[in-house]
PDB file of all heavy atoms in Angstrom:
ATOM      1  N   ARG A 152       0.245  25.058  29.071  1.00  0.00           N
ATOM      2  CA  ARG A 152       0.515  23.618  29.149  1.00  0.00           C
ATOM      3  C   ARG A 152       1.194  23.210  27.854  1.00  0.00           C
ATOM      4  O   ARG A 152       0.762  23.634  26.769  1.00  0.00           O
ATOM      5  CB  ARG A 152      -0.790  22.826  29.262  1.00  0.00           C
ATOM      6  CG  ARG A 152      -1.260  22.567  30.668  1.00  0.00           C
ATOM      7  CD  ARG A 152      -1.791  23.778  31.340  1.00  0.00           C
ATOM      8  NE  ARG A 152      -2.609  23.448  32.506  1.00  0.00           N
ATOM      9  CZ  ARG A 152      -3.162  24.336  33.292  1.00  0.00           C
ATOM     10  NH1 ARG A 152      -2.981  25.638  33.087  1.00  0.00           N
ATOM     11  NH2 ARG A 152      -3.891  23.944  34.318  1.00  0.00           N
ATOM     12  N   LEU A 153       2.218  22.364  27.972  1.00  0.00           N
ATOM     13  CA  LEU A 153       2.937  21.936  26.769  1.00  0.00           C
ATOM     14  C   LEU A 153       2.362  20.637  26.218  1.00  0.00           C
ATOM     15  O   LEU A 153       1.974  19.755  26.986  1.00  0.00           O
ATOM     16  CB  LEU A 153       4.416  21.719  27.091  1.00  0.00           C
ATOM     17  CG  LEU A 153       5.210  22.975  27.427  1.00  0.00           C
ATOM     18  CD1 LEU A 153       6.649  22.616  27.793  1.00  0.00           C
ATOM     19  CD2 LEU A 153       5.225  23.959  26.258  1.00  0.00           C
ATOM     20  N   TYR A 154       2.342  20.519  24.901  1.00  0.00           N
ATOM     21  CA  TYR A 154       1.923  19.278  24.241  1.00  0.00           C
ATOM     22  C   TYR A 154       2.880  18.978  23.096  1.00  0.00           C
ATOM     23  O   TYR A 154       3.138  19.848  22.248  1.00  0.00           O
ATOM     24  CB  TYR A 154       0.476  19.405  23.714  1.00  0.00           C
ATOM     25  CG  TYR A 154      -0.496  19.507  24.864  1.00  0.00           C
ATOM     26  CD1 TYR A 154      -0.894  20.749  25.352  1.00  0.00           C
ATOM     27  CD2 TYR A 154      -0.941  18.360  25.511  1.00  0.00           C
ATOM     28  CE1 TYR A 154      -1.736  20.846  26.463  1.00  0.00           C
ATOM     29  CE2 TYR A 154      -1.783  18.447  26.624  1.00  0.00           C
ATOM     30  CZ  TYR A 154      -2.176  19.683  27.087  1.00  0.00           C
ATOM     31  OH  TYR A 154      -2.985  19.775  28.194  1.00  0.00           O
ATOM     32  N   SER A 155       3.417  17.746  23.093  1.00  0.00           N
ATOM     33  CA  SER A 155       4.291  17.336  22.001  1.00  0.00           C
ATOM     34  C   SER A 155       3.471  17.307  20.715  1.00  0.00           C
ATOM     35  O   SER A 155       2.326  16.852  20.730  1.00  0.00           O
ATOM     36  CB  SER A 155       4.822  15.922  22.222  1.00  0.00           C
ATOM     37  OG  SER A 155       5.393  15.799  23.484  1.00  0.00           O
ATOM     38  N   CYS A 173      -1.710  14.881  20.579  1.00  0.00           N
ATOM     39  CA  CYS A 173      -2.253  13.634  21.108  1.00  0.00           C
ATOM     40  C   CYS A 173      -2.439  13.873  22.607  1.00  0.00           C
ATOM     41  O   CYS A 173      -1.461  13.946  23.357  1.00  0.00           O
ATOM     42  CB  CYS A 173      -1.234  12.524  20.838  1.00  0.00           C
ATOM     43  SG  CYS A 173      -1.677  10.949  21.568  1.00  0.00           S
ATOM     44  N   VAL A 174      -3.667  14.063  23.021  1.00  0.00           N
ATOM     45  CA  VAL A 174      -3.919  14.570  24.383  1.00  0.00           C
ATOM     46  C   VAL A 174      -4.726  13.561  25.206  1.00  0.00           C
ATOM     47  O   VAL A 174      -5.775  13.089  24.774  1.00  0.00           O
ATOM     48  CB  VAL A 174      -4.687  15.913  24.323  1.00  0.00           C
ATOM     49  CG1 VAL A 174      -4.991  16.437  25.725  1.00  0.00           C
ATOM     50  CG2 VAL A 174      -3.886  16.938  23.528  1.00  0.00           C
ATOM     51  N   ARG A 175      -4.206  13.276  26.379  1.00  0.00           N
ATOM     52  CA  ARG A 175      -4.951  12.414  27.303  1.00  0.00           C
ATOM     53  C   ARG A 175      -5.722  13.287  28.285  1.00  0.00           C
ATOM     54  O   ARG A 175      -5.162  14.201  28.903  1.00  0.00           O
ATOM     55  CB  ARG A 175      -3.996  11.502  28.073  1.00  0.00           C
ATOM     56  CG  ARG A 175      -4.740  10.552  28.992  1.00  0.00           C
ATOM     57  CD  ARG A 175      -3.800   9.605  29.711  1.00  0.00           C
ATOM     58  NE  ARG A 175      -4.468   8.928  30.799  1.00  0.00           N
ATOM     59  CZ  ARG A 175      -5.107   7.769  30.685  1.00  0.00           C
ATOM     60  NH1 ARG A 175      -5.142   7.153  29.540  1.00  0.00           N
ATOM     61  NH2 ARG A 175      -5.700   7.222  31.726  1.00  0.00           N
ATOM     62  N   ALA A 177      -7.100  14.519  31.494  1.00  0.00           N
ATOM     63  CA  ALA A 177      -6.730  14.300  32.902  1.00  0.00           C
ATOM     64  C   ALA A 177      -8.003  14.329  33.743  1.00  0.00           C
ATOM     65  O   ALA A 177      -8.653  15.362  33.885  1.00  0.00           O
ATOM     66  CB  ALA A 177      -5.753  15.382  33.361  1.00  0.00           C
ATOM     67  N   TYR A 179      -9.825  13.421  37.465  1.00  0.00           N
ATOM     68  CA  TYR A 179      -9.464  13.243  38.875  1.00  0.00           C
ATOM     69  C   TYR A 179     -10.454  12.296  39.560  1.00  0.00           C
ATOM     70  O   TYR A 179     -11.668  12.507  39.524  1.00  0.00           O
ATOM     71  CB  TYR A 179      -9.469  14.600  39.599  1.00  0.00           C
ATOM     72  CG  TYR A 179      -9.052  14.480  41.037  1.00  0.00           C
ATOM     73  CD1 TYR A 179      -7.710  14.485  41.378  1.00  0.00           C
ATOM     74  CD2 TYR A 179     -10.008  14.324  42.050  1.00  0.00           C
ATOM     75  CE1 TYR A 179      -7.317  14.354  42.716  1.00  0.00           C
ATOM     76  CE2 TYR A 179      -9.620  14.192  43.377  1.00  0.00           C
ATOM     77  CZ  TYR A 179      -8.273  14.197  43.691  1.00  0.00           C
ATOM     78  OH  TYR A 179      -7.894  14.067  44.995  1.00  0.00           O
ATOM     79  N   LYS A 191     -11.956  18.872  39.906  1.00  0.00           N
ATOM     80  CA  LYS A 191     -10.494  18.741  39.964  1.00  0.00           C
ATOM     81  C   LYS A 191      -9.922  18.132  38.683  1.00  0.00           C
ATOM     82  O   LYS A 191      -8.748  17.747  38.657  1.00  0.00           O
ATOM     83  CB  LYS A 191     -10.101  17.900  41.183  1.00  0.00           C
ATOM     84  CG  LYS A 191     -10.446  18.594  42.502  1.00  0.00           C
ATOM     85  CD  LYS A 191     -10.050  17.738  43.683  1.00  0.00           C
ATOM     86  CE  LYS A 191     -10.432  18.430  44.984  1.00  0.00           C
ATOM     87  NZ  LYS A 191     -10.293  17.539  46.134  1.00  0.00           N
ATOM     88  N   ASN A 192     -10.738  18.006  37.647  1.00  0.00           N
ATOM     89  CA  ASN A 192     -10.212  17.476  36.390  1.00  0.00           C
ATOM     90  C   ASN A 192      -9.213  18.463  35.763  1.00  0.00           C
ATOM     91  O   ASN A 192      -9.281  19.665  36.018  1.00  0.00           O
ATOM     92  CB  ASN A 192     -11.355  17.225  35.398  1.00  0.00           C
ATOM     93  CG  ASN A 192     -12.110  15.945  35.719  1.00  0.00           C
ATOM     94  OD1 ASN A 192     -11.683  15.172  36.582  1.00  0.00           O
ATOM     95  ND2 ASN A 192     -13.215  15.728  35.047  1.00  0.00           N
ATOM     96  N   GLY A 193      -8.308  17.958  34.957  1.00  0.00           N
ATOM     97  CA  GLY A 193      -7.308  18.806  34.309  1.00  0.00           C
ATOM     98  C   GLY A 193      -7.964  19.835  33.400  1.00  0.00           C
ATOM     99  O   GLY A 193      -8.875  19.498  32.630  1.00  0.00           O
ATOM    100  N   VAL A 194      -7.500  21.081  33.491  1.00  0.00           N
ATOM    101  CA  VAL A 194      -8.162  22.183  32.775  1.00  0.00           C
ATOM    102  C   VAL A 194      -7.911  22.092  31.263  1.00  0.00           C
ATOM    103  O   VAL A 194      -8.842  22.096  30.449  1.00  0.00           O
ATOM    104  CB  VAL A 194      -7.650  23.546  33.318  1.00  0.00           C
ATOM    105  CG1 VAL A 194      -8.200  24.707  32.499  1.00  0.00           C
ATOM    106  CG2 VAL A 194      -8.013  23.700  34.781  1.00  0.00           C
ATOM    107  N   CYS A 195      -6.651  22.006  30.887  1.00  0.00           N
ATOM    108  CA  CYS A 195      -6.319  22.165  29.466  1.00  0.00           C
ATOM    109  C   CYS A 195      -6.635  20.907  28.658  1.00  0.00           C
ATOM    110  O   CYS A 195      -7.160  20.993  27.549  1.00  0.00           O
ATOM    111  CB  CYS A 195      -4.850  22.525  29.339  1.00  0.00           C
ATOM    112  SG  CYS A 195      -4.438  23.138  27.712  1.00  0.00           S
ATOM    113  N   SER A 196      -6.321  19.743  29.234  1.00  0.00           N
ATOM    114  CA  SER A 196      -6.563  18.507  28.475  1.00  0.00           C
ATOM    115  C   SER A 196      -8.057  18.337  28.232  1.00  0.00           C
ATOM    116  O   SER A 196      -8.467  17.884  27.154  1.00  0.00           O
ATOM    117  CB  SER A 196      -5.984  17.299  29.212  1.00  0.00           C
ATOM    118  OG  SER A 196      -6.512  17.210  30.511  1.00  0.00           O
ATOM    119  N   THR A 236       0.720   8.914  25.762  1.00  0.00           N
ATOM    120  CA  THR A 236       0.837  10.032  24.823  1.00  0.00           C
ATOM    121  C   THR A 236       2.292  10.360  24.466  1.00  0.00           C
ATOM    122  O   THR A 236       2.534  11.181  23.581  1.00  0.00           O
ATOM    123  CB  THR A 236       0.173  11.307  25.399  1.00  0.00           C
ATOM    124  OG1 THR A 236       0.769  11.571  26.685  1.00  0.00           O
ATOM    125  CG2 THR A 236      -1.326  11.144  25.559  1.00  0.00           C
ATOM    126  N   ALA A 239       3.519  10.730  20.850  1.00  0.00           N
ATOM    127  CA  ALA A 239       3.304  11.881  19.953  1.00  0.00           C
ATOM    128  C   ALA A 239       4.515  12.217  19.069  1.00  0.00           C
ATOM    129  O   ALA A 239       4.391  12.225  17.843  1.00  0.00           O
ATOM    130  CB  ALA A 239       2.832  13.085  20.749  1.00  0.00           C
ATOM    131  N   GLU A 375      12.263  13.130  27.153  1.00  0.00           N
ATOM    132  CA  GLU A 375      11.260  14.168  27.420  1.00  0.00           C
ATOM    133  C   GLU A 375      10.090  13.513  28.151  1.00  0.00           C
ATOM    134  O   GLU A 375       9.227  12.875  27.546  1.00  0.00           O
ATOM    135  CB  GLU A 375      10.774  14.816  26.129  1.00  0.00           C
ATOM    136  CG  GLU A 375       9.875  16.013  26.415  1.00  0.00           C
ATOM    137  CD  GLU A 375       9.797  16.952  25.240  1.00  0.00           C
ATOM    138  OE1 GLU A 375      10.640  17.877  25.145  1.00  0.00           O
ATOM    139  OE2 GLU A 375       8.930  16.738  24.399  1.00  0.00           O
ATOM    140  N   TYR A 377       7.104  13.901  31.438  1.00  0.00           N
ATOM    141  CA  TYR A 377       6.330  14.935  32.113  1.00  0.00           C
ATOM    142  C   TYR A 377       5.403  14.349  33.159  1.00  0.00           C
ATOM    143  O   TYR A 377       5.224  13.143  33.202  1.00  0.00           O
ATOM    144  CB  TYR A 377       5.526  15.751  31.086  1.00  0.00           C
ATOM    145  CG  TYR A 377       4.922  14.957  29.944  1.00  0.00           C
ATOM    146  CD1 TYR A 377       3.674  14.334  30.076  1.00  0.00           C
ATOM    147  CD2 TYR A 377       5.591  14.821  28.721  1.00  0.00           C
ATOM    148  CE1 TYR A 377       3.113  13.617  29.035  1.00  0.00           C
ATOM    149  CE2 TYR A 377       5.032  14.093  27.664  1.00  0.00           C
ATOM    150  CZ  TYR A 377       3.792  13.496  27.832  1.00  0.00           C
ATOM    151  OH  TYR A 377       3.239  12.782  26.792  1.00  0.00           O
TER     152      TYR A 377
HETATM  153  P1  LIG B   1      -4.124  20.583  35.215  1.00  0.00           P
HETATM  154  O1  LIG B   1      -5.322  21.432  35.320  1.00  0.00           O
HETATM  155  O2  LIG B   1      -2.807  21.236  35.038  1.00  0.00           O
HETATM  156  O3  LIG B   1      -4.068  19.573  36.433  1.00  0.00           O
HETATM  157  C1  LIG B   1      -2.977  18.695  36.580  1.00  0.00           C
HETATM  158  C2  LIG B   1      -3.427  17.456  37.342  1.00  0.00           C
HETATM  159  O4  LIG B   1      -3.841  17.837  38.649  1.00  0.00           O
HETATM  160  C3  LIG B   1      -4.629  16.754  36.719  1.00  0.00           C
HETATM  161  O5  LIG B   1      -4.404  15.367  36.777  1.00  0.00           O
HETATM  162  C4  LIG B   1      -5.796  17.161  37.598  1.00  0.00           C
HETATM  163  O6  LIG B   1      -6.813  16.173  37.594  1.00  0.00           O
HETATM  164  C5  LIG B   1      -5.132  17.313  38.939  1.00  0.00           C
HETATM  165  N1  LIG B   1      -5.837  18.267  39.823  1.00  0.00           N
HETATM  166  C6  LIG B   1      -6.418  19.434  39.496  1.00  0.00           C
HETATM  167  N2  LIG B   1      -6.935  20.041  40.594  1.00  0.00           N
HETATM  168  C7  LIG B   1      -6.646  19.238  41.646  1.00  0.00           C
HETATM  169  C8  LIG B   1      -6.898  19.316  43.042  1.00  0.00           C
HETATM  170  N3  LIG B   1      -7.534  20.333  43.586  1.00  0.00           N
HETATM  171  N4  LIG B   1      -6.445  18.287  43.806  1.00  0.00           N
HETATM  172  C9  LIG B   1      -5.776  17.235  43.279  1.00  0.00           C
HETATM  173  N5  LIG B   1      -5.527  17.123  41.961  1.00  0.00           N
HETATM  174  C10 LIG B   1      -5.950  18.113  41.162  1.00  0.00           C
HETATM  175  N6  LIG B   1       0.124  15.708  27.767  1.00  0.00           N
HETATM  176  C11 LIG B   1      -0.563  15.028  26.820  1.00  0.00           C
HETATM  177  O7  LIG B   1      -1.700  14.598  27.049  1.00  0.00           O
HETATM  178  N7  LIG B   1      -0.006  14.825  25.568  1.00  0.00           N
HETATM  179  C12 LIG B   1       1.230  15.278  25.243  1.00  0.00           C
HETATM  180  O8  LIG B   1       1.689  15.070  24.113  1.00  0.00           O
HETATM  181  C13 LIG B   1       1.955  15.994  26.233  1.00  0.00           C
HETATM  182  N8  LIG B   1       3.176  16.477  25.954  1.00  0.00           N
HETATM  183  C14 LIG B   1       3.878  17.145  26.922  1.00  0.00           C
HETATM  184  C15 LIG B   1       5.149  17.617  26.617  1.00  0.00           C
HETATM  185  C16 LIG B   1       5.891  18.277  27.570  1.00  0.00           C
HETATM  186  C17 LIG B   1       7.283  18.768  27.225  1.00  0.00           C
HETATM  187  C18 LIG B   1       5.334  18.479  28.859  1.00  0.00           C
HETATM  188  C19 LIG B   1       6.127  19.199  29.926  1.00  0.00           C
HETATM  189  C20 LIG B   1       4.074  18.039  29.159  1.00  0.00           C
HETATM  190  C21 LIG B   1       3.317  17.365  28.206  1.00  0.00           C
HETATM  191  N9  LIG B   1       2.024  16.899  28.469  1.00  0.00           N
HETATM  192  C22 LIG B   1       1.344  16.200  27.508  1.00  0.00           C
HETATM  193  C23 LIG B   1       1.346  17.170  29.761  1.00  0.00           C
HETATM  194  C24 LIG B   1       0.492  18.454  29.614  1.00  0.00           C
HETATM  195  O9  LIG B   1       1.345  19.581  29.481  1.00  0.00           O
HETATM  196  C25 LIG B   1      -0.405  18.727  30.828  1.00  0.00           C
HETATM  197  O10 LIG B   1       0.386  18.696  31.983  1.00  0.00           O
HETATM  198  C26 LIG B   1      -1.546  17.726  30.988  1.00  0.00           C
HETATM  199  O11 LIG B   1      -2.388  17.728  29.834  1.00  0.00           O
HETATM  200  C27 LIG B   1      -2.415  18.111  32.196  1.00  0.00           C
HETATM  201  O12 LIG B   1      -2.837  19.436  32.037  1.00  0.00           O
HETATM  202  P2  LIG B   1      -4.310  19.898  32.465  1.00  0.00           P
HETATM  203  O13 LIG B   1      -4.401  21.368  32.293  1.00  0.00           O
HETATM  204  O14 LIG B   1      -5.337  19.051  31.824  1.00  0.00           O
HETATM  205  O15 LIG B   1      -4.324  19.526  34.002  1.00  0.00           O
END
Side-chain angles (χ1 to χ4, degrees):
R152 269 72 162 178
L153 292 177
Y154 293 93
S155 308
C173 174
V174 178
R175 183 177 167 90
Y179 182 85
K191 294 180 181 170
N192 282 352
V194 174
C195 194
S196 56
T236 55
E375 188 159 271
Y377 39 86

